[in-house]
PDB file of all heavy atoms in Angstrom:
ATOM      1  N   PHE A 276      53.685   5.825  12.747  1.00  0.00           N
ATOM      2  CA  PHE A 276      53.170   6.701  13.800  1.00  0.00           C
ATOM      3  C   PHE A 276      52.239   5.859  14.662  1.00  0.00           C
ATOM      4  O   PHE A 276      51.313   5.246  14.145  1.00  0.00           O
ATOM      5  CB  PHE A 276      52.401   7.878  13.192  1.00  0.00           C
ATOM      6  CG  PHE A 276      53.277   8.828  12.446  1.00  0.00           C
ATOM      7  CD1 PHE A 276      53.667   8.550  11.146  1.00  0.00           C
ATOM      8  CD2 PHE A 276      53.727   9.987  13.044  1.00  0.00           C
ATOM      9  CE1 PHE A 276      54.489   9.426  10.448  1.00  0.00           C
ATOM     10  CE2 PHE A 276      54.543  10.865  12.358  1.00  0.00           C
ATOM     11  CZ  PHE A 276      54.932  10.579  11.057  1.00  0.00           C
ATOM     12  N   ASN A 277      52.472   5.849  15.966  1.00  0.00           N
ATOM     13  CA  ASN A 277      51.622   5.080  16.877  1.00  0.00           C
ATOM     14  C   ASN A 277      50.479   5.937  17.370  1.00  0.00           C
ATOM     15  O   ASN A 277      50.668   7.104  17.717  1.00  0.00           O
ATOM     16  CB  ASN A 277      52.435   4.570  18.057  1.00  0.00           C
ATOM     17  CG  ASN A 277      53.424   3.507  17.639  1.00  0.00           C
ATOM     18  OD1 ASN A 277      53.135   2.675  16.797  1.00  0.00           O
ATOM     19  ND2 ASN A 277      54.606   3.535  18.221  1.00  0.00           N
ATOM     20  N   GLY A 278      49.293   5.348  17.440  1.00  0.00           N
ATOM     21  CA  GLY A 278      48.125   6.037  17.969  1.00  0.00           C
ATOM     22  C   GLY A 278      48.214   6.153  19.474  1.00  0.00           C
ATOM     23  O   GLY A 278      48.945   5.409  20.126  1.00  0.00           O
ATOM     24  N   PRO A 279      47.471   7.089  20.065  1.00  0.00           N
ATOM     25  CA  PRO A 279      47.516   7.270  21.513  1.00  0.00           C
ATOM     26  C   PRO A 279      46.810   6.143  22.247  1.00  0.00           C
ATOM     27  O   PRO A 279      45.965   5.457  21.692  1.00  0.00           O
ATOM     28  CB  PRO A 279      46.773   8.587  21.720  1.00  0.00           C
ATOM     29  CG  PRO A 279      45.832   8.648  20.575  1.00  0.00           C
ATOM     30  CD  PRO A 279      46.568   8.007  19.415  1.00  0.00           C
ATOM     31  N   SER A 280      47.175   5.976  23.488  1.00  0.00           N
ATOM     32  CA  SER A 280      46.512   4.997  24.343  1.00  0.00           C
ATOM     33  C   SER A 280      45.077   5.435  24.590  1.00  0.00           C
ATOM     34  O   SER A 280      44.778   6.623  24.637  1.00  0.00           O
ATOM     35  CB  SER A 280      47.255   4.913  25.671  1.00  0.00           C
ATOM     36  OG  SER A 280      46.525   4.167  26.606  1.00  0.00           O
ATOM     37  N   VAL A 281      44.184   4.501  24.784  1.00  0.00           N
ATOM     38  CA  VAL A 281      42.791   4.852  25.070  1.00  0.00           C
ATOM     39  C   VAL A 281      42.527   4.855  26.568  1.00  0.00           C
ATOM     40  O   VAL A 281      41.405   4.960  27.009  1.00  0.00           O
ATOM     41  CB  VAL A 281      41.795   3.897  24.369  1.00  0.00           C
ATOM     42  CG1 VAL A 281      41.885   4.060  22.871  1.00  0.00           C
ATOM     43  CG2 VAL A 281      42.030   2.464  24.775  1.00  0.00           C
ATOM     44  N   THR A 282      43.587   4.737  27.387  1.00  0.00           N
ATOM     45  CA  THR A 282      43.429   4.768  28.833  1.00  0.00           C
ATOM     46  C   THR A 282      44.186   5.941  29.421  1.00  0.00           C
ATOM     47  O   THR A 282      45.085   6.484  28.799  1.00  0.00           O
ATOM     48  CB  THR A 282      43.953   3.478  29.481  1.00  0.00           C
ATOM     49  OG1 THR A 282      45.348   3.350  29.174  1.00  0.00           O
ATOM     50  CG2 THR A 282      43.210   2.266  28.970  1.00  0.00           C
ATOM     51  N   GLY A 283      43.844   6.310  30.628  1.00  0.00           N
ATOM     52  CA  GLY A 283      44.541   7.385  31.329  1.00  0.00           C
ATOM     53  C   GLY A 283      43.921   8.729  31.050  1.00  0.00           C
ATOM     54  O   GLY A 283      43.367   8.970  29.991  1.00  0.00           O
ATOM     55  N   PRO A 284      43.975   9.617  32.057  1.00  0.00           N
ATOM     56  CA  PRO A 284      43.361  10.939  31.885  1.00  0.00           C
ATOM     57  C   PRO A 284      44.224  11.832  31.026  1.00  0.00           C
ATOM     58  O   PRO A 284      45.447  11.710  31.075  1.00  0.00           O
ATOM     59  CB  PRO A 284      43.273  11.461  33.309  1.00  0.00           C
ATOM     60  CG  PRO A 284      44.331  10.725  34.064  1.00  0.00           C
ATOM     61  CD  PRO A 284      44.527   9.414  33.372  1.00  0.00           C
ATOM     62  N   PRO A 285      43.698  12.769  30.262  1.00  0.00           N
ATOM     63  CA  PRO A 285      42.282  12.770  29.904  1.00  0.00           C
ATOM     64  C   PRO A 285      42.017  11.651  28.904  1.00  0.00           C
ATOM     65  O   PRO A 285      42.936  11.205  28.249  1.00  0.00           O
ATOM     66  CB  PRO A 285      42.084  14.144  29.257  1.00  0.00           C
ATOM     67  CG  PRO A 285      43.412  14.462  28.657  1.00  0.00           C
ATOM     68  CD  PRO A 285      44.429  13.859  29.602  1.00  0.00           C
ATOM     69  N   PRO A 286      40.787  11.191  28.796  1.00  0.00           N
ATOM     70  CA  PRO A 286      40.521  10.125  27.816  1.00  0.00           C
ATOM     71  C   PRO A 286      40.971  10.550  26.419  1.00  0.00           C
ATOM     72  O   PRO A 286      40.780  11.682  26.015  1.00  0.00           O
ATOM     73  CB  PRO A 286      39.000   9.967  27.879  1.00  0.00           C
ATOM     74  CG  PRO A 286      38.636  10.468  29.238  1.00  0.00           C
ATOM     75  CD  PRO A 286      39.599  11.582  29.530  1.00  0.00           C
ATOM     76  N   GLN A 287      41.607   9.637  25.734  1.00  0.00           N
ATOM     77  CA  GLN A 287      42.090   9.902  24.381  1.00  0.00           C
ATOM     78  C   GLN A 287      41.552   8.820  23.460  1.00  0.00           C
ATOM     79  O   GLN A 287      41.481   7.662  23.837  1.00  0.00           O
ATOM     80  CB  GLN A 287      43.616   9.874  24.344  1.00  0.00           C
ATOM     81  CG  GLN A 287      44.264  10.882  25.252  1.00  0.00           C
ATOM     82  CD  GLN A 287      45.766  10.713  25.267  1.00  0.00           C
ATOM     83  OE1 GLN A 287      46.325   9.884  24.557  1.00  0.00           O
ATOM     84  NE2 GLN A 287      46.433  11.502  26.078  1.00  0.00           N
ATOM     85  N   LYS A 288      41.199   9.207  22.263  1.00  0.00           N
ATOM     86  CA  LYS A 288      40.690   8.243  21.292  1.00  0.00           C
ATOM     87  C   LYS A 288      41.299   8.542  19.933  1.00  0.00           C
ATOM     88  O   LYS A 288      41.589   9.687  19.615  1.00  0.00           O
ATOM     89  CB  LYS A 288      39.166   8.310  21.207  1.00  0.00           C
ATOM     90  CG  LYS A 288      38.494   7.969  22.537  1.00  0.00           C
ATOM     91  CD  LYS A 288      36.998   8.027  22.426  1.00  0.00           C
ATOM     92  CE  LYS A 288      36.375   7.707  23.774  1.00  0.00           C
ATOM     93  NZ  LYS A 288      34.916   7.705  23.734  1.00  0.00           N
ATOM     94  N   SER A 289      41.488   7.515  19.140  1.00  0.00           N
ATOM     95  CA  SER A 289      42.004   7.719  17.791  1.00  0.00           C
ATOM     96  C   SER A 289      41.332   6.733  16.849  1.00  0.00           C
ATOM     97  O   SER A 289      40.785   5.727  17.272  1.00  0.00           O
ATOM     98  CB  SER A 289      43.519   7.544  17.739  1.00  0.00           C
ATOM     99  OG  SER A 289      43.873   6.197  17.920  1.00  0.00           O
ATOM    100  N   ASN A 290      41.411   7.031  15.556  1.00  0.00           N
ATOM    101  CA  ASN A 290      40.838   6.122  14.560  1.00  0.00           C
ATOM    102  C   ASN A 290      41.905   5.207  13.991  1.00  0.00           C
ATOM    103  O   ASN A 290      41.683   4.558  12.985  1.00  0.00           O
ATOM    104  CB  ASN A 290      40.148   6.903  13.430  1.00  0.00           C
ATOM    105  CG  ASN A 290      41.126   7.583  12.495  1.00  0.00           C
ATOM    106  OD1 ASN A 290      42.277   7.846  12.850  1.00  0.00           O
ATOM    107  ND2 ASN A 290      40.695   7.874  11.285  1.00  0.00           N
ATOM    108  N   PHE A 291      43.085   5.147  14.630  1.00  0.00           N
ATOM    109  CA  PHE A 291      44.148   4.289  14.133  1.00  0.00           C
ATOM    110  C   PHE A 291      44.998   3.776  15.294  1.00  0.00           C
ATOM    111  O   PHE A 291      45.083   4.402  16.333  1.00  0.00           O
ATOM    112  CB  PHE A 291      45.047   5.038  13.144  1.00  0.00           C
ATOM    113  CG  PHE A 291      45.771   6.219  13.758  1.00  0.00           C
ATOM    114  CD1 PHE A 291      47.042   6.075  14.275  1.00  0.00           C
ATOM    115  CD2 PHE A 291      45.169   7.472  13.821  1.00  0.00           C
ATOM    116  CE1 PHE A 291      47.701   7.159  14.848  1.00  0.00           C
ATOM    117  CE2 PHE A 291      45.822   8.560  14.376  1.00  0.00           C
ATOM    118  CZ  PHE A 291      47.094   8.397  14.899  1.00  0.00           C
ATOM    119  N   THR A 292      45.584   2.614  15.108  1.00  0.00           N
ATOM    120  CA  THR A 292      46.574   2.092  16.056  1.00  0.00           C
ATOM    121  C   THR A 292      47.945   2.530  15.602  1.00  0.00           C
ATOM    122  O   THR A 292      48.743   3.024  16.383  1.00  0.00           O
ATOM    123  CB  THR A 292      46.504   0.552  16.122  1.00  0.00           C
ATOM    124  OG1 THR A 292      45.179   0.176  16.482  1.00  0.00           O
ATOM    125  CG2 THR A 292      47.472   0.015  17.138  1.00  0.00           C
ATOM    126  N   THR A 293      48.224   2.356  14.323  1.00  0.00           N
ATOM    127  CA  THR A 293      49.457   2.866  13.721  1.00  0.00           C
ATOM    128  C   THR A 293      49.146   3.376  12.320  1.00  0.00           C
ATOM    129  O   THR A 293      48.174   2.961  11.689  1.00  0.00           O
ATOM    130  CB  THR A 293      50.561   1.790  13.599  1.00  0.00           C
ATOM    131  OG1 THR A 293      50.102   0.750  12.759  1.00  0.00           O
ATOM    132  CG2 THR A 293      50.955   1.229  14.953  1.00  0.00           C
ATOM    133  N   ILE A 294      49.971   4.290  11.857  1.00  0.00           N
ATOM    134  CA  ILE A 294      49.919   4.749  10.470  1.00  0.00           C
ATOM    135  C   ILE A 294      51.296   4.449   9.901  1.00  0.00           C
ATOM    136  O   ILE A 294      52.300   4.932  10.431  1.00  0.00           O
ATOM    137  CB  ILE A 294      49.663   6.258  10.352  1.00  0.00           C
ATOM    138  CG1 ILE A 294      48.329   6.636  10.985  1.00  0.00           C
ATOM    139  CG2 ILE A 294      49.699   6.699   8.887  1.00  0.00           C
ATOM    140  CD1 ILE A 294      48.116   8.135  11.074  1.00  0.00           C
ATOM    141  N   SER A 295      51.358   3.644   8.874  1.00  0.00           N
ATOM    142  CA  SER A 295      52.626   3.320   8.240  1.00  0.00           C
ATOM    143  C   SER A 295      52.641   3.879   6.829  1.00  0.00           C
ATOM    144  O   SER A 295      51.651   3.788   6.118  1.00  0.00           O
ATOM    145  CB  SER A 295      52.842   1.810   8.179  1.00  0.00           C
ATOM    146  OG  SER A 295      52.904   1.266   9.467  1.00  0.00           O
ATOM    147  N   THR A 296      53.767   4.444   6.442  1.00  0.00           N
ATOM    148  CA  THR A 296      53.905   4.881   5.056  1.00  0.00           C
ATOM    149  C   THR A 296      54.459   3.716   4.247  1.00  0.00           C
ATOM    150  O   THR A 296      55.133   2.850   4.795  1.00  0.00           O
ATOM    151  CB  THR A 296      54.873   6.075   4.932  1.00  0.00           C
ATOM    152  OG1 THR A 296      56.183   5.655   5.307  1.00  0.00           O
ATOM    153  CG2 THR A 296      54.428   7.230   5.798  1.00  0.00           C
ATOM    154  N   PRO A 297      54.177   3.680   2.962  1.00  0.00           N
ATOM    155  CA  PRO A 297      54.798   2.656   2.122  1.00  0.00           C
ATOM    156  C   PRO A 297      56.320   2.830   2.131  1.00  0.00           C
ATOM    157  O   PRO A 297      56.834   3.884   2.491  1.00  0.00           O
ATOM    158  CB  PRO A 297      54.225   2.943   0.734  1.00  0.00           C
ATOM    159  CG  PRO A 297      52.961   3.701   0.974  1.00  0.00           C
ATOM    160  CD  PRO A 297      53.229   4.509   2.205  1.00  0.00           C
ATOM    161  N   ALA A 298      57.017   1.792   1.725  1.00  0.00           N
ATOM    162  CA  ALA A 298      58.484   1.853   1.673  1.00  0.00           C
ATOM    163  C   ALA A 298      58.938   3.040   0.834  1.00  0.00           C
ATOM    164  O   ALA A 298      58.288   3.404  -0.142  1.00  0.00           O
ATOM    165  CB  ALA A 298      59.041   0.559   1.101  1.00  0.00           C
ATOM    166  N   MET A 299      60.024   3.648   1.262  1.00  0.00           N
ATOM    167  CA  MET A 299      60.542   4.841   0.588  1.00  0.00           C
ATOM    168  C   MET A 299      61.912   4.543   0.004  1.00  0.00           C
ATOM    169  O   MET A 299      62.810   4.101   0.708  1.00  0.00           O
ATOM    170  CB  MET A 299      60.640   6.002   1.569  1.00  0.00           C
ATOM    171  CG  MET A 299      59.303   6.405   2.158  1.00  0.00           C
ATOM    172  SD  MET A 299      59.448   7.663   3.444  1.00  0.00           S
ATOM    173  CE  MET A 299      60.033   9.068   2.492  1.00  0.00           C
ATOM    174  N   THR A 300      62.063   4.781  -1.282  1.00  0.00           N
ATOM    175  CA  THR A 300      63.365   4.673  -1.924  1.00  0.00           C
ATOM    176  C   THR A 300      63.967   6.067  -2.013  1.00  0.00           C
ATOM    177  O   THR A 300      63.274   7.056  -1.755  1.00  0.00           O
ATOM    178  CB  THR A 300      63.212   4.039  -3.318  1.00  0.00           C
ATOM    179  OG1 THR A 300      62.293   4.815  -4.066  1.00  0.00           O
ATOM    180  CG2 THR A 300      62.718   2.609  -3.228  1.00  0.00           C
ATOM    181  N   PRO A 301      65.244   6.206  -2.361  1.00  0.00           N
ATOM    182  CA  PRO A 301      65.867   7.530  -2.412  1.00  0.00           C
ATOM    183  C   PRO A 301      65.069   8.521  -3.252  1.00  0.00           C
ATOM    184  O   PRO A 301      64.615   8.205  -4.350  1.00  0.00           O
ATOM    185  CB  PRO A 301      67.232   7.246  -3.041  1.00  0.00           C
ATOM    186  CG  PRO A 301      67.526   5.845  -2.632  1.00  0.00           C
ATOM    187  CD  PRO A 301      66.201   5.147  -2.656  1.00  0.00           C
ATOM    188  N   GLY A 302      64.857   9.710  -2.702  1.00  0.00           N
ATOM    189  CA  GLY A 302      64.141  10.765  -3.391  1.00  0.00           C
ATOM    190  C   GLY A 302      62.620  10.692  -3.269  1.00  0.00           C
ATOM    191  O   GLY A 302      61.912  11.527  -3.808  1.00  0.00           O
ATOM    192  N   THR A 303      62.093   9.702  -2.559  1.00  0.00           N
ATOM    193  CA  THR A 303      60.652   9.529  -2.398  1.00  0.00           C
ATOM    194  C   THR A 303      60.103  10.489  -1.352  1.00  0.00           C
ATOM    195  O   THR A 303      60.750  10.762  -0.352  1.00  0.00           O
ATOM    196  CB  THR A 303      60.322   8.082  -1.962  1.00  0.00           C
ATOM    197  OG1 THR A 303      60.841   7.184  -2.936  1.00  0.00           O
ATOM    198  CG2 THR A 303      58.833   7.865  -1.822  1.00  0.00           C
ATOM    199  N   THR A 304      58.891  10.984  -1.584  1.00  0.00           N
ATOM    200  CA  THR A 304      58.195  11.832  -0.611  1.00  0.00           C
ATOM    201  C   THR A 304      56.886  11.167  -0.225  1.00  0.00           C
ATOM    202  O   THR A 304      56.160  10.674  -1.082  1.00  0.00           O
ATOM    203  CB  THR A 304      57.906  13.226  -1.201  1.00  0.00           C
ATOM    204  OG1 THR A 304      59.137  13.841  -1.569  1.00  0.00           O
ATOM    205  CG2 THR A 304      57.179  14.110  -0.201  1.00  0.00           C
ATOM    206  N   ARG A 305      56.595  11.145   1.073  1.00  0.00           N
ATOM    207  CA  ARG A 305      55.329  10.634   1.593  1.00  0.00           C
ATOM    208  C   ARG A 305      54.756  11.684   2.530  1.00  0.00           C
ATOM    209  O   ARG A 305      55.471  12.532   3.054  1.00  0.00           O
ATOM    210  CB  ARG A 305      55.537   9.325   2.378  1.00  0.00           C
ATOM    211  CG  ARG A 305      56.149   8.209   1.576  1.00  0.00           C
ATOM    212  CD  ARG A 305      55.107   7.510   0.734  1.00  0.00           C
ATOM    213  NE  ARG A 305      55.648   6.301   0.144  1.00  0.00           N
ATOM    214  CZ  ARG A 305      55.776   6.099  -1.144  1.00  0.00           C
ATOM    215  NH1 ARG A 305      55.427   7.030  -1.987  1.00  0.00           N
ATOM    216  NH2 ARG A 305      56.261   4.974  -1.602  1.00  0.00           N
ATOM    217  N   TYR A 306      53.448  11.610   2.776  1.00  0.00           N
ATOM    218  CA  TYR A 306      52.790  12.555   3.675  1.00  0.00           C
ATOM    219  C   TYR A 306      51.914  11.802   4.667  1.00  0.00           C
ATOM    220  O   TYR A 306      51.333  10.773   4.334  1.00  0.00           O
ATOM    221  CB  TYR A 306      51.897  13.522   2.886  1.00  0.00           C
ATOM    222  CG  TYR A 306      52.648  14.355   1.894  1.00  0.00           C
ATOM    223  CD1 TYR A 306      52.803  13.930   0.579  1.00  0.00           C
ATOM    224  CD2 TYR A 306      53.206  15.574   2.265  1.00  0.00           C
ATOM    225  CE1 TYR A 306      53.497  14.695  -0.348  1.00  0.00           C
ATOM    226  CE2 TYR A 306      53.903  16.349   1.346  1.00  0.00           C
ATOM    227  CZ  TYR A 306      54.054  15.900   0.047  1.00  0.00           C
ATOM    228  OH  TYR A 306      54.744  16.657  -0.859  1.00  0.00           O
ATOM    229  N   VAL A 307      51.827  12.337   5.877  1.00  0.00           N
ATOM    230  CA  VAL A 307      50.911  11.833   6.894  1.00  0.00           C
ATOM    231  C   VAL A 307      50.080  13.024   7.342  1.00  0.00           C
ATOM    232  O   VAL A 307      50.614  14.107   7.608  1.00  0.00           O
ATOM    233  CB  VAL A 307      51.667  11.227   8.087  1.00  0.00           C
ATOM    234  CG1 VAL A 307      50.711  10.903   9.230  1.00  0.00           C
ATOM    235  CG2 VAL A 307      52.415   9.971   7.661  1.00  0.00           C
ATOM    236  N   VAL A 308      48.766  12.863   7.400  1.00  0.00           N
ATOM    237  CA  VAL A 308      47.881  13.932   7.863  1.00  0.00           C
ATOM    238  C   VAL A 308      47.276  13.501   9.197  1.00  0.00           C
ATOM    239  O   VAL A 308      46.812  12.377   9.348  1.00  0.00           O
ATOM    240  CB  VAL A 308      46.788  14.287   6.825  1.00  0.00           C
ATOM    241  CG1 VAL A 308      45.885  13.103   6.538  1.00  0.00           C
ATOM    242  CG2 VAL A 308      45.980  15.474   7.284  1.00  0.00           C
ATOM    243  N   LEU A 309      47.346  14.391  10.191  1.00  0.00           N
ATOM    244  CA  LEU A 309      46.767  14.152  11.508  1.00  0.00           C
ATOM    245  C   LEU A 309      45.786  15.279  11.809  1.00  0.00           C
ATOM    246  O   LEU A 309      46.111  16.454  11.619  1.00  0.00           O
ATOM    247  CB  LEU A 309      47.849  14.121  12.584  1.00  0.00           C
ATOM    248  CG  LEU A 309      48.928  13.053  12.442  1.00  0.00           C
ATOM    249  CD1 LEU A 309      50.008  13.258  13.495  1.00  0.00           C
ATOM    250  CD2 LEU A 309      48.325  11.665  12.556  1.00  0.00           C
ATOM    251  N   THR A 310      44.600  14.931  12.268  1.00  0.00           N
ATOM    252  CA  THR A 310      43.595  15.916  12.657  1.00  0.00           C
ATOM    253  C   THR A 310      43.283  15.732  14.133  1.00  0.00           C
ATOM    254  O   THR A 310      43.007  14.616  14.577  1.00  0.00           O
ATOM    255  CB  THR A 310      42.313  15.742  11.823  1.00  0.00           C
ATOM    256  OG1 THR A 310      42.640  15.880  10.439  1.00  0.00           O
ATOM    257  CG2 THR A 310      41.264  16.774  12.191  1.00  0.00           C
ATOM    258  N   PHE A 311      43.366  16.833  14.901  1.00  0.00           N
ATOM    259  CA  PHE A 311      43.141  16.805  16.345  1.00  0.00           C
ATOM    260  C   PHE A 311      41.860  17.567  16.676  1.00  0.00           C
ATOM    261  O   PHE A 311      41.670  18.683  16.209  1.00  0.00           O
ATOM    262  CB  PHE A 311      44.310  17.489  17.073  1.00  0.00           C
ATOM    263  CG  PHE A 311      45.647  16.898  16.756  1.00  0.00           C
ATOM    264  CD1 PHE A 311      46.371  17.322  15.653  1.00  0.00           C
ATOM    265  CD2 PHE A 311      46.184  15.911  17.564  1.00  0.00           C
ATOM    266  CE1 PHE A 311      47.607  16.776  15.358  1.00  0.00           C
ATOM    267  CE2 PHE A 311      47.419  15.361  17.277  1.00  0.00           C
ATOM    268  CZ  PHE A 311      48.129  15.785  16.179  1.00  0.00           C
ATOM    269  N   VAL A 312      41.008  16.961  17.490  1.00  0.00           N
ATOM    270  CA  VAL A 312      39.763  17.599  17.922  1.00  0.00           C
ATOM    271  C   VAL A 312      39.629  17.383  19.426  1.00  0.00           C
ATOM    272  O   VAL A 312      39.890  16.288  19.931  1.00  0.00           O
ATOM    273  CB  VAL A 312      38.541  16.986  17.194  1.00  0.00           C
ATOM    274  CG1 VAL A 312      37.251  17.585  17.710  1.00  0.00           C
ATOM    275  CG2 VAL A 312      38.651  17.162  15.690  1.00  0.00           C
ATOM    276  N   PHE A 313      39.240  18.433  20.157  1.00  0.00           N
ATOM    277  CA  PHE A 313      38.972  18.334  21.592  1.00  0.00           C
ATOM    278  C   PHE A 313      37.522  18.698  21.821  1.00  0.00           C
ATOM    279  O   PHE A 313      37.083  19.774  21.428  1.00  0.00           O
ATOM    280  CB  PHE A 313      39.899  19.274  22.374  1.00  0.00           C
ATOM    281  CG  PHE A 313      39.698  19.224  23.857  1.00  0.00           C
ATOM    282  CD1 PHE A 313      39.969  18.065  24.571  1.00  0.00           C
ATOM    283  CD2 PHE A 313      39.233  20.326  24.539  1.00  0.00           C
ATOM    284  CE1 PHE A 313      39.789  18.017  25.938  1.00  0.00           C
ATOM    285  CE2 PHE A 313      39.045  20.293  25.909  1.00  0.00           C
ATOM    286  CZ  PHE A 313      39.330  19.135  26.616  1.00  0.00           C
ATOM    287  N   ASP A 314      36.752  17.792  22.438  1.00  0.00           N
ATOM    288  CA  ASP A 314      35.323  18.054  22.645  1.00  0.00           C
ATOM    289  C   ASP A 314      35.011  18.573  24.047  1.00  0.00           C
ATOM    290  O   ASP A 314      33.865  18.592  24.472  1.00  0.00           O
ATOM    291  CB  ASP A 314      34.499  16.804  22.345  1.00  0.00           C
ATOM    292  CG  ASP A 314      34.681  15.691  23.368  1.00  0.00           C
ATOM    293  OD1 ASP A 314      35.480  15.846  24.318  1.00  0.00           O
ATOM    294  OD2 ASP A 314      34.015  14.645  23.221  1.00  0.00           O
ATOM    295  N   GLY A 315      36.036  18.985  24.774  1.00  0.00           N
ATOM    296  CA  GLY A 315      35.854  19.470  26.138  1.00  0.00           C
ATOM    297  C   GLY A 315      36.194  18.411  27.168  1.00  0.00           C
ATOM    298  O   GLY A 315      36.454  18.725  28.321  1.00  0.00           O
ATOM    299  N   VAL A 316      36.216  17.144  26.755  1.00  0.00           N
ATOM    300  CA  VAL A 316      36.558  16.042  27.654  1.00  0.00           C
ATOM    301  C   VAL A 316      37.601  15.136  27.015  1.00  0.00           C
ATOM    302  O   VAL A 316      38.597  14.798  27.627  1.00  0.00           O
ATOM    303  CB  VAL A 316      35.307  15.198  28.008  1.00  0.00           C
ATOM    304  CG1 VAL A 316      35.684  14.015  28.889  1.00  0.00           C
ATOM    305  CG2 VAL A 316      34.263  16.064  28.698  1.00  0.00           C
TER     306      VAL A 316
END
């Protein structure tokens, strides 16, 4: 998962550039959690 650009309106910020899951073999389950917050700007 690629993080958002830090340029362009509206300003966007993230705590990651990418999130990669470990390699997955058949039958494997992985999870990614994303939290979104808007502070008015």
Side-chain angles (χ1 to χ4, degrees):
F276 292 81
N277 291 322
S280 170
V281 294
T282 60
Q287 301 174 3
K288 299 181 181 182
S289 70
N290 73 338
F291 63 93
T292 303
T293 62
I294 300 172
S295 298
T296 65
M299 298 174 66
T300 56
T303 302
T304 301
R305 301 279 190 243
Y306 299 92
V307 171
V308 61
L309 300 173
T310 301
F311 304 86
V312 176
F313 181 65
D314 70 358
V316 177

